[in-house]
């Protein structure tokens, strides 16, 4: 029996995207209709959702029971191992990044849930792909564990839609920047760390070389895009693998120059590590015109607006005066 009220489950709800997406979903649907889940034990204030379940997403039996207990209609499946961490634990990354997605697709095929959001990444691109303005339909050739798992996930999403009509929707996120929650093991994490170090220490050592351009997105724009995609009419969607999301593209050097406008004494140096090779396999900019056409993707933040907002909010968060 189809529920008229949307009941939402968020996996990875305590992560960088999950924390802020949960807050927005609570604002829209009410706390009583949002169930957050993660690996942490329950504590007061852990999430704004009305309910929290400590849950390992690879425990399919438990996941299925929670979906039944709360009469879940929509799943935002965010739990995953990010790019840097995945390189260190490839077998676990494959298991975590893929198997739960397949089980959610199976539950949707059975009619247990109605709609799924699953995040992909610019990590799906790789060797032989142009660095600039990478289109929606380029051949994917990932060279990292994370990218391989995301590419496979995209094809499974497309398969379940084509074969079984499963309404699973996806975005290829670029690097995400937020002042509210720390990053968690990604190659683009320098663009979050740099702000903390700039405010607290006045200097930063980047693990990405100065002229390496990568696509980035401020978290407000990422959340808005996610919600806009999920609200779009089914018939408007022409992509059932994952939509390109471009955001803004910049290098560590360009970001440091923007920070110096707000913190004149800021200094940066560069010591690239294993993540540099990952960054080199990714595009420098993305063509997201299909998402703009299909469901009205738009952005509010460029590098200058993002830098000002990050520094203003982090100063408050870290109790640092100007």
């Amino acid at each position: 029996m189809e529920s008229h009220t949307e009941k939402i489950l968020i996996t990875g709800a305590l992560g960088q995207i999950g924390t802020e997406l949960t807050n927005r979903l609570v604002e829209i649907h009410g706390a009583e209709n949002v169930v957050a889940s993660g690996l942490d034990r329950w504590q007061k204030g852990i999430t704004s959702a009305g309910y929290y379940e400590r849950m390992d997403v690879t425990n399919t039996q438990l996941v299925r029971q929670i979906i039944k207990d709360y009469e879940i209609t929509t799943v935002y499946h965010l739990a995953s191992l990010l790019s840097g961490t995945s390189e260190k634990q490839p077998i676990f990354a494959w298991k975590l990044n893929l198997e739960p997605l397949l089980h959610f697709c199976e539950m949707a095929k059975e009619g247990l849930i109605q709609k799924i959001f699953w995040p992909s990444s610019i990590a799906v691109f790789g060797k032989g792909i142009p660095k600039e303005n990478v289109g929606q339909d380029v051949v994917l050739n990932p060279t990292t564990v994370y990218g391989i798992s995301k590419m496979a996930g995209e094809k499974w999403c497309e398969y379940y839609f084509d074969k079984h009509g499963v309404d699973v929707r996806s975005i290829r996120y670029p690097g995400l920047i937020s002042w509210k929650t720390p990053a968690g093991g990604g190659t683009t994490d320098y663009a979050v760390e740099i702000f903390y170090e700039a405010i607290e220490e006045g200097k930063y050592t980047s693990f990405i070389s100065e002229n390496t351009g990568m696509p980035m997105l401020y978290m407000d724009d990422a959340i808005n895009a996610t919600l806009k995609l999920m609200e779009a009419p089914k018939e408007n969607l022409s992509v059932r693998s994952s939509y390109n999301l471009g955001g803004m593209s910049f290098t560590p050097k360009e970001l440091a120059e923007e920070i110096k406008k707000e913190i004149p004494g800021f200094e940066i140096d560069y010591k690239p590590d294993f993540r540099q090779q990952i960054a080199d396999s990714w595009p420098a900019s993305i063509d997201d015109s299909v998402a703009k056409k299909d469901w009205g993707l738009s952005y509010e933040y460029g590098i200058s607006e993002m830098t000002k907002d990050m520094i203003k909010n982090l100063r408050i968060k870290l109790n640092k005066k100007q």
Side-chain angles (χ1 to χ4, degrees):
M1 192 173 74
E2 191 169 312
S3 170
H4 295 292
T5 304
E6 196 167 359
K7 294 276 191 179
I8 296 164
L9 171 68
I10 305 146
T11 73
L14 307 180
Q16 190 190 20
I17 302 171
T19 304
E20 298 193 41
L21 182 59
T22 299
N23 291 339
R24 286 290 297 279
L25 289 168
V26 165
E27 286 172 17
I28 296 164
H29 298 280
E32 70 280 4
N33 293 313
V34 179
V35 181
S37 71
L39 290 174
D40 291 10
R41 292 186 183 278
W42 167 256
Q43 53 184 315
K44 196 172 180 183
I46 195 170
T47 178
S48 61
Y51 305 94
Y52 177 78
E53 290 285 345
R54 190 182 187 209
M55 181 179 85
D56 176 353
V57 288
T58 62
N59 183 342
T60 309
Q61 195 174 346
L62 176 61
V63 173
R64 187 176 279 266
Q65 192 58 53
I66 285 169
I67 282 172
K68 287 178 179 174
D69 289 347
Y70 288 99
E71 299 179 329
I72 297 297
T73 61
T74 304
V75 173
Y76 288 81
H77 174 39
L78 308 177
S80 70
L81 210 60
L82 296 183
S83 55
T85 320
S86 291
E87 289 300 303
K88 297 172 182 175
Q89 302 179 67
I91 305 302
F92 176 61
W94 178 259
K95 180 181 174 65
L96 178 62
N97 291 353
L98 262 188
E99 289 181 11
L101 170 64
L102 298 185
H103 290 301
F104 281 125
C105 287
E106 279 292 311
M107 289 179 222
K109 175 183 156 188
E110 294 166 23
L112 200 57
I113 49 182
Q114 295 162 21
K115 197 157 53 168
I116 302 164
F117 175 80
W118 176 77
S120 188
S121 162
I122 58 168
V124 296
F125 304 117
K127 286 180 181 174
I129 293 169
K131 289 293 279 184
E132 302 291 341
N133 211 32
V134 174
Q136 178 65 55
D137 294 320
V138 299
V139 175
L140 305 181
N141 190 21
T143 55
T144 64
V145 173
Y146 186 64
I148 292 165
S149 68
K150 288 297 184 183
M151 180 184 74
E154 284 191 18
K155 298 312 291 181
W156 279 115
C157 290
E158 195 172 54
Y159 174 87
Y160 270 92
F161 174 76
D162 288 342
K163 299 289 183 183
H164 306 292
V166 168
D167 190 1
V168 53
R169 306 178 182 198
S170 180
I171 280 171
R172 291 169 180 158
Y173 286 124
L176 297 176
I177 301 171
S178 168
W179 61 268
K180 290 181 183 173
T181 48
T187 300
T188 53
D189 284 2
Y190 88 84
V192 177
E193 291 175 2
I194 193 171
F195 287 103
Y196 282 86
E197 295 292 317
I199 291 167
E200 294 192 305
E201 306 294 336
K203 59 184 178 179
Y204 178 65
T205 299
S206 173
F207 55 77
I208 299 295
S209 64
E210 61 181 331
N211 294 317
T212 303
M214 285 188 281
M216 300 281 185
L217 195 62
Y218 201 38
M219 187 61 79
D220 294 42
D221 281 335
I223 301 300
N224 287 338
T226 303
L227 295 171
K228 195 170 259 191
L229 170 61
M230 289 298 277
E231 288 160 5
K234 208 174 179 176
E235 57 274 15
N236 289 10
L237 306 183
S238 64
V239 175
R240 284 299 183 161
S241 52
S242 191
Y243 277 97
N244 272 6
L245 217 62
M248 50 189 150
S249 292
F250 54 78
T251 66
K253 186 178 180 181
E254 287 167 338
L255 181 55
E257 290 303 316
E258 286 295 325
I259 291 171
K260 283 176 189 175
K261 292 176 186 176
E262 306 298 316
I263 305 173
F266 175 66
E267 296 176 2
I268 186 168
D269 64 348
Y270 304 91
K271 289 184 182 172
D273 66 12
F274 73 98
R275 287 167 286 193
Q276 180 63 43
Q277 195 173 356
I278 298 174
D280 289 339
S281 75
W282 291 356
S285 61
I286 303 282
D287 175 359
D288 51 19
S289 55
V290 177
K292 288 173 177 171
K293 176 177 69 71
D294 284 4
W295 45 273
L297 169 67
S298 61
Y299 307 112
E300 290 180 25
Y301 290 87
I303 186 172
S304 178
E305 296 87 348
M306 179 270 295
T307 300
K308 288 184 173 74
D309 200 60
M310 280 290 287
I311 290 171
K312 180 187 80 174
N313 284 295
L314 275 179
R315 276 184 169 143
I316 296 165
K317 181 179 178 180
L318 301 170
N319 292 317
K320 297 283 182 180
K321 290 180 182 174
Q322 199 161 338

